[in-house]
Amino acid sequence: MNLTNEEYGKYVKRHALPSPVVKDTVKAFVIGGTICAFGQALQYLYVAVGMDKEIAPVMVSVTLILISVVMTGLGLYDSVARHAGAGTLVPITGFANAVVSPAIDNKAEGLVLGIGVKLFSVAGPVILFGTLSSVVYGIYYYVMKLMGV
Amino acid sequence: MAGVIKFGNKPEILASSAVGGDTEAKGNLGKYFDMTDPTDRFGKKTFEQAESEMQRLALNFALKKSGLTPDDLDAVFAGDLMNQCTGSSYGLAEFGVPFFGLYGACSTAAEGLMLAAMTVNCGYFERAASVSSSHNSAAERQFRFPLGYGCQRPPTSQWTATASGAFILGLCSGETGVVLSEALPGKIVDKGITDQSNMGAAMAPAAASTIHRYFSESGMHPDDFDLILTGDLGQEGHSICRELLLSQGLRMGENFSDCGILLYDSEVQDLHCGGSGCGCSASVTAGYVMKKFAEGKIKNILLIGTGALMSPSSVLQGLAVSGIAHLVRFSKI
């Protein structure tokens, strides 16, 4: 084979079947949108049954997390996610799934060294860099405030 | 460098068996398995233990078919995809047979067959077994994401087979009449592919290199074979391999296929490019191919076991995935 690694890499990229971007995007939009619409409907429902308006959005998040966790436990979540892509990843459902799936996966290795160590193996970077960026933003906000902006 | 090895003393496959999971049972070759388990757990608590159990079951089936006991085996050459080859060591410990643990990634079945045939051909061992396996859930956990994690797999990705295949080799006694007549060990080929979800492309150059070497050294022609099977290139890698060979002047015909493509039903099962893993080529050869030999439908085949050499750390460190391809020739006498 006379191709250099670079030539082969280009050839492989040309050869590979591309992801069906339009189909994937439409599915992500429809499923993701449905989850969000469902969340909004839940919020209206919670307020209608007399829940405090401040508390209702939090309870919506908690409900969506619960549904996502139960579906992950039943092995249904990934069958939906393989079609939905970012549609299930972006809402809070994706984060719940990212924490629960390693917990279930590593049960056999024990409570501490299995679940304890691996719980944030997927979500860890999100938590770390999410917290870090909030610190950066906090400092920026403080400085701006001192400067009277 | 030694070229194609010719086994003059005709090491014969005395018996073979294949064990698989649920996805394999529902695939194209479901009926060629000796046993499949719809739960994928084979009565064990964890998927890792299930993989070991598959190896134990596969060797047991092969022993039963050949009418041999573990004491009749002089050695077993075995491998799998798990860390430190524990799938094989836990699965085969109870047989009490001298054990060689192999790691050839998904090429392990061909590697084990070749080594077993060498030792039998030279007379070091009267009988030797070769066992290999992979378990989808154990491999996903080790190499990719947690099982329940919702993510989309790219179209070039493949599905690690939950399967195991076992072969027992001995000096020719006419049991099955299928002998290993030739072998060609593969070289490590690195073409700089770093995409973990395109293993077919990473392994295709190695397969093409071994196939090209075989046909230039042996004087054989691709049309001389009923089947030329690559191990687990999948649709993507197999098509690349065909094009690479064509660019080197070797036109492969309709008889050129791939165990990973044969194993699953691509129309229904939505497993993208097809099967992969040590268990893929092992079970397809031990189940389907050996059955076709028994039915007299095929007489001469080549198996080119393909493996992607990498670890989860090497991938994260940005190292390329290199490929290897070992060739063995099965002939009916």
Side-chain angles (χ1 to χ4, degrees), chain B residues 5-244:
Chain B
I5 303 163
K6 292 190 186 295
F7 297 122
N9 292 330
K10 301 190 174 113
E12 185 189 12
I13 295 178
L14 304 177
S16 71
S17 74
V19 172
D22 188 44
T23 319
E24 292 64 34
K26 289 174 180 155
N28 291 330
L29 307 181
K31 62 176 177 179
Y32 296 100
F33 283 90
D34 292 276
M35 178 192 168
T36 53
D37 181 358
T39 68
D40 283 357
R41 285 186 180 267
F42 295 87
K44 297 291 173 186
K45 271 195 201 147
T46 69
F47 294 120
E48 286 76 11
Q49 289 166 28
E51 179 164 351
S52 295
E53 180 65 6
M54 283 198 296
Q55 288 216 4
R56 194 188 69 81
L57 287 165
L59 185 55
N60 245 341
F61 278 119
L63 281 170
K64 250 187 210 151
K65 285 185 191 175
S66 60
L68 298 168
T69 66
D71 280 346
D72 296 320
L73 296 177
D74 296 325
V76 55
F77 295 86
D80 55 84
L81 285 185
M82 272 192 278
N83 291 333
Q84 285 78 37
C85 267
T86 46
S88 311
S89 53
Y90 285 108
L92 303 175
E94 72 166 44
F95 291 98
V97 178
F99 170 81
F100 294 92
L102 308 178
Y103 188 81
C106 312
S107 73
T108 307
E111 183 180 357
L113 275 167
M114 186 184 304
L115 292 170
M118 282 176 176
T119 54
V120 168
N121 189 68
C122 292
Y124 292 119
F125 299 138
E126 203 175 322
R127 290 180 210 89
S130 158
V131 191
S132 45
S133 67
S134 53
H135 194 299
N136 179 275
S137 303
E140 285 294 313
R141 248 162 72 79
Q142 180 177 325
F143 288 101
R144 295 185 186 92
F145 289 111
L147 300 172
Y149 182 60
C151 56
Q152 264 175 339
R153 289 146 44 84
T156 50
S157 67
Q158 291 172 253
W159 182 263
T160 308
T162 300
S164 173
F167 301 85
I168 296 175
L169 283 85
L171 279 184
C172 193
S173 61
E175 195 95 18
T176 59
V178 180
V179 299
L180 287 195
S181 47
E182 288 177 322
L184 181 63
K187 300 176 192 172
I188 299 170
V189 179
D190 175 4
K191 278 290 171 190
I193 296 294
T194 49
D195 181 2
Q196 219 199 156
S197 54
N198 196 352
M199 290 296 178
M203 298 186 285
S209 140
T210 303
I211 295 171
H212 190 261
R213 267 167 67 212
Y214 175 77
F215 284 110
S216 15
E217 288 176 22
S218 66
M220 300 290 290
H221 188 271
D223 294 339
D224 297 333
F225 295 91
D226 300 300
L227 259 181
I228 299 172
L229 281 177
T230 48
D232 59 349
L233 294 180
Q235 281 151 12
E236 181 69 18
H238 195 259
S239 141
I240 292 176
C241 183
R242 190 186 280 276
E243 287 181 17
L244 291 177

Side-chain angles (χ1 to χ4, degrees), chain A residues 94-128:
Chain A
F95 195 73
N97 167 254
V99 176
V100 173
S101 56
I104 297 170
D105 231 35
N106 294 287
K107 214 177 88 199
E109 281 84 28
L111 188 64
V112 177
L113 295 179
I115 298 176
V117 171
K118 297 284 176 65
L119 189 66
F120 297 113
S121 60
V122 179
V126 182
I127 296 173
L128 173 67

Side-chain angles (χ1 to χ4, degrees), chain A residues 30-131:
Chain A
V30 171
I31 300 175
T34 309
I35 294 172
C36 296
F38 173 70
Q40 191 60 49
L42 264 185
Q43 190 177 332
Y44 288 143
L45 178 76
Y46 286 161
V47 174
V49 295
M51 196 179 277
D52 190 286
K53 271 192 180 163
E54 298 270 301
I55 308 261
V58 180
M59 288 313 288
V60 169
S61 299
V62 172
T63 314
L64 287 177
I65 289 172
L66 179 72
I67 293 172
S68 171
V69 167
V70 171
M71 279 182 68
T72 305
L74 294 174
L76 300 172
Y77 188 91
D78 54 323
S79 341
V80 179
R82 65 185 296 184
H83 295 291
T88 45
L89 183 75
V90 175
I92 202 158
T93 46
F95 195 73
N97 167 254
V99 176
V100 173
S101 56
I104 297 170
D105 231 35
N106 294 287
K107 214 177 88 199
E109 281 84 28
L111 188 64
V112 177
L113 295 179
I115 298 176
V117 171
K118 297 284 176 65
L119 189 66
F120 297 113
S121 60
V122 179
V126 182
I127 296 173
L128 173 67
F129 295 111
T131 312

